[in-house]
C-alpha cells in the first residue's frame, strides 16, 4: 500500500534521537523478527531503550522492529500502566471479535478500523527470561495482537478496513505501537 503523508502530518514522521521510532516504509517493519534465544544484558538494554521510546511517543505498545531491531520483543502498556516486556510472545488461544480504531507509532497520524480478538492467552518470556502466561482482554488484547503483528512484518494498514483509513492529529496517547 502506498502511503502519501499529507503536508500537515509530515512533522510527525521525523526520525532522529528524540523520535527514535522507525517509520513506514522502513524494511525492518516488513521482516519476520528473529527469536531471542537467551535474555542478556543486550536484551535488557534494548528493552530499556524501548521503554524510553514508548514514553517519549506516548504510546501503549511498541515492538523491537520499530526501533530497528529485528527481534521478537514487544512492550505493552495499556491504560497508562508500567510497560510489560514480552519476549518471543505467542498467542496460544484467542476468542471473540471486535472492531476498533488503531494507529501506529510507525505510521503517525494515520488511523483505521481493525478487527481483533477480544480475549487472548499469550505465552512469552519476561525480561528475566522466565516463561509467563497472560490472559488479556479488551484493549490489552488488541495491543498485544498489534505488537505481535509487528514481529511478523504485518502492519495495521494490512488489516484495516481501507474505507476507514483517515488522517488525524494524534491525541496524547496513541492507540498502539
Amino acid at each position: 500500500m502506498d502511503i502519501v503523508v499529507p503536508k500537515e502530518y509530515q512533522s510527525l514522521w521525523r526520525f532522529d534521537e528524540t523520535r527514535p521510532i522507525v517509520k513506514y516504509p522502513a524494511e525492518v517493519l516488513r521482516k519476520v523478527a528473529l527469536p531471542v534465544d537467551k535474555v542478556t544484558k543486550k536484551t535488557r538494554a534494548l528493552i530499556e531503550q524501548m521503554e524510553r521510546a514508548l514514553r517519549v511517543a506516548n504510546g501503549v505498545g511498541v515492538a523491537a522492529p520499530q526501533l530497528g531491531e529485528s527481534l521478537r520483543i514487544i512492550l505493552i502498556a495499556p491504560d497508562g500502566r508500567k510497560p510489560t516486556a514480552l519476549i518471543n510472545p505467542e498467542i496460544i488461544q484467542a476468542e471473540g471479535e471486535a472492531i476498533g480504531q488503531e494507529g501506529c507509532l510507525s505510521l503517525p497520524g494515520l488511523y483505521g478500523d481493525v478487527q481483533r480478538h477480544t480475549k487472548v492467552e499469550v505465552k512469552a518470556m519476561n525480561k528475566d527470561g522466565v516463561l509467563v502466561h497472560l490472559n488479556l482482554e479488551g484493549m490489552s488484547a488488541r495491543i498485544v495482537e498489534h505488537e505481535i503483528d509487528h514481529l511478523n512484518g504485518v502492519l495495521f494498514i494490512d488489516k484495516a478496513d481501507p474505507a476507514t483509513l483517515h488522517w488525524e492529529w494524534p491525541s496524547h496517547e496513541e492507540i498502539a505501537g
Side-chain angles (χ1 to χ4, degrees), residues 69-147:
E69 295 289 336
S70 191
L71 293 169
R72 297 189 77 77
I73 304 171
I74 65 173
L75 293 184
I76 61 169
D79 306 320
R81 283 186 254 156
K82 185 178 179 212
T84 299
L86 300 173
I87 301 165
N88 300 331
E90 290 178 56
I91 294 173
I92 55 175
Q93 191 172 335
E95 61 183 68
E97 292 182 353
I99 294 172
Q101 181 173 268
E102 292 186 20
C104 182
L105 299 175
S106 291
L107 293 132
L110 185 61
Y111 298 89
D113 291 348
V114 179
Q115 184 168 307
R116 301 277 187 192
H117 293 100
T118 55
K119 293 181 181 181
V120 295
E121 182 181 349
V122 178
K123 174 178 80 169
M125 281 191 295
N126 66 17
K127 65 182 177 185
D128 297 318
V130 176
L131 185 64
V132 295
H133 284 261
L134 299 173
N135 290 301
L136 305 170
E137 51 186 278
M139 183 58 84
S140 298
R142 178 170 296 278
I143 294 167
V144 83
E145 284 185 79
H146 178 110
E147 300 310 332

